[in-house]
Amino acid sequence: MSSNENLEQQAKTKLAILVKSIEPVVEKQLAEFTSSEVEYVLNNYRKFLTYDLSRDFEKMREKNLKESPFDAIINDDLGLNNE
């Protein structure tokens, strides 16, 4: 298996686990809604009833870009380390 295929399989597996872990939380919270509340939400907020995983992935991507392992090396080499 090539590294791209391995990466693809790992990413798909983790994504499936993530989605499966969200489902019980949503079900538990929905169980607390009355039928009137469910109707109200559907009638008034249907367009907002999506969870934007891409937003969360973008936040993680930004965080990872800001936390480069090279930062410590560069900062140390430039004498920016506050030790």
Side-chain angles (χ1 to χ4, degrees), residues 3-5 8 14 18-20 22 24-25 27 30 34-35 38-39 43-44 47-49 55-57 65 77 79 81:
S3 63
N4 272 351
E5 290 171 339
E8 179 183 5
K14 287 182 178 180
L18 174 62
V19 170
K20 283 292 189 186
I22 292 171
V25 174
E27 288 175 9
L30 280 175
T34 65
S35 59
V38 169
E39 286 298 320
N43 290 332
N44 295 284
K47 67 181 176 181
F48 302 108
L49 297 179
R55 174 192 61 216
D56 298 315
F57 276 89
L65 289 174
D77 286 346
N81 199 347

Side-chain angles (χ1 to χ4, degrees), residues 4-27:
N4 272 351
E5 290 171 339
N6 191 29
L7 175 62
E8 179 183 5
Q9 186 60 43
Q10 287 176 329
K12 284 180 177 180
T13 300
K14 287 182 178 180
L15 182 58
I17 291 168
L18 174 62
V19 170
K20 283 292 189 186
S21 67
I22 292 171
E23 290 174 0
V25 174
V26 172
E27 288 175 9

Side-chain angles (χ1 to χ4, degrees), residues 1 8-10 12 27 33 38 40 43 45 53-54 62 68 70 73 75-76 79 82-83:
M1 186 180 289
E8 179 183 5
Q9 186 60 43
Q10 287 176 329
K12 284 180 177 180
E27 288 175 9
F33 280 73
V38 169
Y40 182 83
N43 290 332
Y45 301 106
L53 281 175
S54 63
E62 288 175 20
S68 166
F70 297 106
I73 296 169
N75 290 339
D76 191 43
N82 293 331
E83 290 181 19

